[in-house]
Each structure stands twice: as C-alpha cells, then as structure tokens.
Amino acid sequence: MTVVDGLLGPLASAVGAAHVLTDADVVAGYAVDWTGRFRGSTSVVVRPGSTAEVAAVLRICDDAGVAVVPQGGNTGLVGGSVPLAGEVVLSLARLADLEDVDPAAAQVTAGAGVSIGRLQAAATEAGLAYGVDLASRDTATVGGTIATNAAGLRALRYGDTRSQLVGVEAVLADGRVVTHLGGLVRDNTGYHLPSLLCGSEGTLAVVTKARLRLVPRYSERVVALLAFDSVDAALVAAGSMRSRLSSVDAAELFLQTGLDLVAEVTGLPAPFPARHVAYLLVEAADRLDPTDALAEALADVGAVADVAVASAASARQRLWAYRERHTEAINAIGTPHKLDVALPASAIAAFVAEAPHRIAALAPQARTWIFGHAADGNLHVNVTGLAPDDDQVDETVLRLAASYGGSISAEHGIGTAKRAWLGLNRSDTEIAAFRAIKAALDPRGTLNPNVLLPPPA
Ligand code: MLT
Ligand code: ZN
C-alpha cells in the first residue's frame, strides 16, 4: 500500500467518497495539460466542495508529507496544473459559488471554481464587466487565473488579473485559512497577500475565493481588422492606438502564416482578397459609438493596406475569430511548445524577424507561429514539429527574449516549462527571496513542488 492509498479513507471522510476519484481512466484526464505537452500521473483526484473541505484535504496531505497540485480549469499552457510526479490533484471545480454583484462597490466575490465566462455574464447582467477576458473563458476559472495572473485580451485597458484582485480567501499548506474579502480598495495594512498569491502558481497557498473589482460596461463597440505589409507598420499602428485612442480595449497582432493556418483548420474565409504580412485587430469600446474616434486615430497611421470594420456583435465576433482561433488551430496540427514572451516596444520587430531564423537553424522541420498582445509587447511564439521534451528551441527563444531586455513569461507563468530558465529574468538574490517566501508559507513543500522555482542544483 502506498502512502497515498493510506490517505484515501481520511480524504473520503473529509469530502465524501464520491469526490475522491481513483478510477485510472478518470484521473488520467487530470494528469495532462490542455496542449498535451505536459503529461504526468496521479492515483487520486480530490474534489472538495467548500473552503473547510479544502483545508481538511491539505491538512491530511501536509501531515502525511504528500504533495498536492491545485487545479482549476486546467487551461494553463506551461504545465503548471498537472501532477508531474504523482502528486494528489486538488480540483477546485466545485467551489463554484458566485455571490451577487455589489453594485455600490462595483465588486463581486467569486469561488475559485467559477469560470471566467460565468463571471463575465454575471457582471454584464449587473451593468458592469470583468476586465480580464481570454479565449478559454468558458473553462478557465477564477482560481486558475489568479494562480497564473492571467492577462488575456483586454489587459491593455484593464491590466492583468492582479489588477482586478481586491481580496482573497486562501488555505495555507497546513490547512490554516486566511480570509480578507472585505473589499476595501484603500487598505494599506501591511503585506498585500492577494498580490503575492496572484501569479504564485499554486506554490504558496490555495485560493478558494476572491473579491474582484468590476469595470464599466461599454455597450458601444467597434472592431477593426487592419492589414499591413510589414510587421513594423503593424507595431507602429499598435503604439498609435495605445497612445491616441482612450477607448481602446485590445490591439492584437497576427501574421499571414497564422491567418492561413486558422483558415485551413477552421474553414473561415480569408478576410481580404489580397494577402499581407501582418494584421492588427483593434477593438474600441465606449458609452457612445467609438467608430469616429477609431477612424481619427487611424488617420494618423500610414501604411494600412486594407481594413475591415465591424460594429454588430456577430460581425465583431467574425473578425475576432481570426485572432482567437490561433490557439485551437495550432493545437490541431500538433503539440505546440508555447513560449510567451514580453519585449520592450523598441525590440518587438527585431525579435519577430530573428526568432523564426533561430528556430529554423536548430529545428528545420519545426513551424513557428507568432501572434499576441502587440500593444502590451506580449508575443506568443508557438512552435510545432518538436518532440514534447525537446527543450533546445525553448531555451533559444527565451534567451533571445531576455537578450532584448524581455521577459520569459508575459502572462502564462513559469510552470514546469520554464522553471530551468527563471534565472534569465531573476537574480540569485531574488530567487533566494522566492525560496524564503515558499519555505515560510509551505515549509514541507506540499504545494505544487515541481513548478516555478528552478529545481535545486
Ligand atoms: C492567447 O493569447 O491566445 C494565448 O494566451 C496564447 C497561446 O495560445 O499561446
Ligand atoms: Zn495571450
């Protein structure tokens, strides 16, 4: 009998036998990430239904020295939420309580298992909106997006998940609960635990609830898909939208190669009769129709080779599909290596030109797809045609980004995929401080032990 087998009884007493999953076929689904690149194993998935049950599960595992991987919607892209070495999976899916929106505060308290789509729908119903949006909105959860500090499609206007977070309830590794959900926006009373836990990838505590700020809901929207004959021109336009259009929600870059793949996989028709090098999808939203403001901002942007504009929801959705469906199209042709980097604005064009050559030199069979949140300097370099465990291309791309003064993770996190290269962005002293924080909050190393921090030398 393994140590974990010995915990099945106590775990069943804590959460109910129906929520302790051990069937090999069932638990296998929790042991692989969305891309299929990161595959581990587990013998048990526990699905607590309340904060008290999460606390009980963690107490049992921590006392027994058994490691735990918290899991939300499992839509992460860096292998941060799968049991890489037989850990117990702690699924937060059942923590799905969503309180009524507090209109006076423009805030809401949501359980970790609430999907971003459901949160957005509730905010919309109350005449507000949630500032974070991402293509995986119907599966990604509040808890998972906090763990990864997800940013997504509208971070240009509203910031990342950390910027939405007013308070959290979380369970420490030993089962103690910290709760700070009062919703005070000005609350200058020491260390800001929500900020620390946000982006900590489940290594410091398990977030069970969050108090989130909501933003105004703008009912008037316009989307423009702009075509350019150089990446440079598209980036100049993105910068211009960011600085001149106060109603800009998103400015997203993709290239002709990615557009061809999306069209091939999804059957979407080409947006323009001619082919171009680069595309920028811009969305503006305001109380009054922002079309004129968008056109005015565009008037200063030379070199637009073609443009399609949409105001009606269905037409906007059609234009967004060219950008949003990149992830799905890339996954359809093979397991991608996802390298999510951020670059200084002045280095993006050079990086976009150089990265594919560096990749081709190492792996001529590989195909490179570059797209992303251009106005934030966040590029997604996706590479297909590589073995899942072949890290050479990853290392080359991450080193290249760092050499330009960039970050090896703009929004996906470090996970297991990039932990070996954290030192490209963080000094030894910073990493030592990270380890000290980890040791203080999780002295036995129970929580997600195989992500974020580099493996000890
Ligand atoms: C996106 O922005 O679509 C995702 O974060 C990127 C990806 O799938 O690589
Ligand atoms: Zn993204």
Side-chain angles (χ1 to χ4, degrees), residues 77 323 327 338 371 373 380 382 411-412:
L77 299 171
R323 160 63 181 90
T327 299
K338 290 202 169 271
F371 58 100
H373 316 290
H380 295 306
N382 282 213
E411 62 167 351
H412 295 170

Side-chain angles (χ1 to χ4, degrees), residues 70-81 116 132 134 136 140-152 160-162 165 194-203 205 207 340 409-416 448 451-452:
Q71 192 178 93
N74 200 14
T75 57
L77 299 171
V78 287
S81 61
I116 298 304
V132 170
L134 57 178
S136 55
T141 59
V142 164
T145 54
I146 292 172
T148 55
N149 187 24
D160 52 17
T161 297
R162 190 175 283 129
L165 205 51
S195 295
L196 177 63
L197 296 187
C198 191
S200 67
E201 304 187 22
T203 60
V207 172
D340 151 51
S409 173
E411 62 167 351
H412 295 170
I414 297 296
T416 189
N448 221 2
V451 306
L452 206 162

Side-chain angles (χ1 to χ4, degrees), residues 9-36:
L11 290 172
S13 304
V15 303
H19 301 298
V20 179
L21 314 178
T22 52
D23 181 279
D25 289 340
V26 174
V27 300
Y30 291 79
V32 59
D33 80 319
W34 184 87
T35 67

Side-chain angles (χ1 to χ4, degrees), residues 198-216:
C198 191
S200 67
E201 304 187 22
T203 60
L204 299 180
V206 176
V207 172
T208 45
K209 267 187 200 167
R211 182 77 175 172
L212 299 160
R213 88 175 167 112
L214 301 173
V215 298

